[in-house]
């Protein structure tokens, strides 16, 4: 099964094919750790991609940390007799979520394939970003006085940020773009259990999607086909269904009058394919004829 289908199984749908990009990342071994920079403007879509990738590739361990989430306060210690309690001050404070994630991922990687997702990296303090860069280069991580080593073949580090990455981290990473784009919509009627007679309809829809600069994923197209089969009969029906079913379309383009001829052509193909009953009054007014 293709990676695109596997990612869709775990909640990330796209028409783009990431297999070549990821092969570029995995087929080379850098000096330090392999880093994947998941870029894009669609917020948590980047997170959805990283999580789906971990499941699609069946990583035994997926470690996730959101750097924008505040750390939980340390537990409060209550002494039965405060006057007699003389607690010793610890040498260092508890691990932060970021430190704990890197420690756990490094330890897991000693024996198993491990995916470490560092999300919302822009919220990480700059000293910790420097530590992360050194970790990528040296594969060595020290926190709370303990040092662990990441296995370079087992650990894949995924970086997600809403701002530009710290330059050395970017130079150490392979970057991919996960926003919905104008990926090729190459579906065939048989993909949806339709006959060859639906090809004219799908060609007309492809021209609409081309003008919109993007198209539906497989599940979105399947829902649109259901709308076409049972509900869509006018240009406004089609416009409403496309907007309702397809994520990240520019509504301004969909509403533009310049798109009307393409929508009208698609609706004509829909009505021809579905078969719409037309009621025609005979010339002498004596009867009605139904065509379908």
């Amino acid at each position: 099964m293709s990676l695109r289908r596997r990612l869709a199984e775990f909640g990330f749908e796209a028409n783009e094919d990431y297999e070549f990009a990821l092969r570029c990342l995995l087929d080379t071994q850098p000096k330090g750790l392999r880093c994947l920079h998941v870029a894009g403007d669609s917020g948590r879509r980047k997170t959805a991609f990283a999580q789906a990738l971990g499941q699609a590739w069946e990583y035994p361990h997926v470690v996730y940390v959101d750097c924008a989430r505040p750390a939980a306060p340390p537990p409060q210690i209550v002494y039965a007799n405060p006057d007699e309690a003389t607690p010793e001050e610890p040498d260092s404070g508890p691990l932060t979520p970021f430190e704990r994630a890197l420690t756990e991922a490094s330890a897991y990687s000693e024996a198993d394939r491990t995916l470490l997702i560092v999300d919302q990296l822009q919220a990480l303090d700059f000293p910790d970003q420097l530590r992360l860069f050194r970790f990528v280069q040296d594969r060595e991580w020290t926190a709370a006085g303990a040092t662990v080593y990441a296995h370079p073949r087992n650990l894949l580090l995924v970086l997600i940020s809403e701002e530009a990455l710290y330059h050395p981290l970017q130079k150490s990473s392979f970057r991919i773009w996960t926003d919905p784009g104008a990926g090729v919509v190459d579906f065939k009627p048989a993909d949806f259990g339709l006959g060859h007679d639906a090809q004219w309809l799908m060609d007309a829809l492809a021209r609409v999607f081309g003008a919109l600069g993007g198209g539906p994923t497989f599940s979105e197209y399947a829902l649109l086909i259901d709308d076409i089969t049972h509900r869509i009969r006018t240009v406004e029906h089609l416009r409403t269904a496309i907007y309702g079913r397809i994520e990240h379309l520019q509504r301004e383009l969909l509403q533009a009058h310049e798109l009307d001829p393409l929508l009208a052509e698609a609706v004509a193909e829909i009505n021809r394919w579905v078969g719409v009953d037309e009621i025609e009054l005979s010339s002498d007014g004596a009867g009605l004829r139904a065509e379908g």
Side-chain angles (χ1 to χ4, degrees):
M1 182 183 297
S2 70
L3 177 61
R4 179 165 48 185
R5 292 284 182 91
R6 289 286 290 164
L7 290 171
E9 283 186 359
F10 297 106
F12 182 87
E13 281 199 310
N15 290 325
E16 290 73 19
D17 186 354
Y18 298 101
E19 292 206 39
F20 175 77
L22 293 171
R23 192 164 70 246
C24 289
L25 171 68
L26 296 180
D27 285 355
T28 57
Q29 180 59 61
K31 173 189 172 184
L33 296 172
R34 290 188 180 94
C35 279
L36 176 64
H37 174 201
V38 179
D41 295 326
S42 298
R44 291 297 183 175
R45 182 176 172 87
K46 300 188 288 290
T47 305
F49 174 85
Q51 294 283 3
L53 184 65
Q55 296 180 78
W57 278 353
E58 299 180 343
Y59 272 90
H61 304 284
V62 176
V63 180
Y64 174 82
V65 59
D66 184 340
C67 298
R69 181 175 298 173
Q76 184 177 6
I77 301 176
V78 179
Y79 297 97
N81 189 343
D83 296 332
E84 296 179 2
T86 56
E88 295 183 0
E89 290 295 327
D91 295 333
S92 60
L95 294 178
T96 65
F98 169 71
E99 292 174 323
R100 185 179 304 110
L102 268 70
T103 300
E104 290 179 357
S106 299
Y108 286 141
S109 75
E110 292 180 3
D112 291 318
R113 293 166 55 248
T114 303
L115 188 70
L116 170 59
I117 305 170
V118 181
D119 201 349
Q120 302 301 300
L121 189 54
Q122 79 283 347
L124 192 65
D125 291 339
F126 186 66
D128 280 333
Q129 294 196 34
L130 289 175
R131 292 175 68 195
L132 179 60
F133 171 65
R134 288 196 292 269
F135 171 64
V136 169
Q137 295 298 301
D138 302 334
R139 309 191 304 270
E140 178 181 322
W141 179 253
T142 300
T147 299
V148 288
Y149 296 88
H151 196 297
R153 287 196 302 272
N154 284 345
L155 183 63
L156 175 59
L157 176 59
V158 177
L159 305 178
I160 303 173
S161 177
E162 299 305 317
E163 299 174 4
L165 285 186
Y166 174 48
H167 178 68
L169 278 176
Q170 179 60 74
K171 297 298 289 183
S172 302
S173 305
F174 189 92
R175 181 173 55 187
I176 62 171
W177 186 262
T178 57
D179 279 9
V184 177
V185 181
D186 57 354
F187 302 128
K188 301 292 185 289
D191 296 333
F192 305 96
L194 304 178
H196 184 70
D197 60 328
Q199 187 62 58
W200 295 101
L201 160 64
M202 296 183 73
D203 289 343
L205 289 174
R207 289 188 284 274
V208 172
F209 301 139
L212 290 171
T217 62
F218 182 85
S219 68
E220 290 170 342
Y221 208 125
L223 291 170
L224 189 60
I225 289 293
D226 184 72
D227 290 330
I228 285 170
T229 303
H230 298 102
R231 288 169 284 280
I232 295 174
R233 297 296 177 265
T234 69
V235 166
E236 283 309 310
H237 288 171
L238 180 57
R239 202 190 312 262
T240 299
I242 288 176
Y243 182 74
R245 297 298 187 191
I246 302 175
E247 185 182 18
H248 297 295
L249 279 182
Q250 294 187 43
R251 189 171 184 274
E252 294 78 11
L253 290 178
L254 187 60
Q255 295 292 332
H257 290 302
E258 292 79 5
L259 193 66
D260 287 350
L262 291 176
L263 291 171
E265 178 188 3
V267 168
E269 292 296 340
I270 288 170
N271 289 335
R272 192 166 15 254
W273 179 65
V274 173
V276 175
D277 288 338
E278 297 180 2
I279 306 299
E280 181 179 313
L281 189 65
S282 63
S283 57
D284 59 3
L288 297 176
R289 183 179 64 189
E291 294 182 355

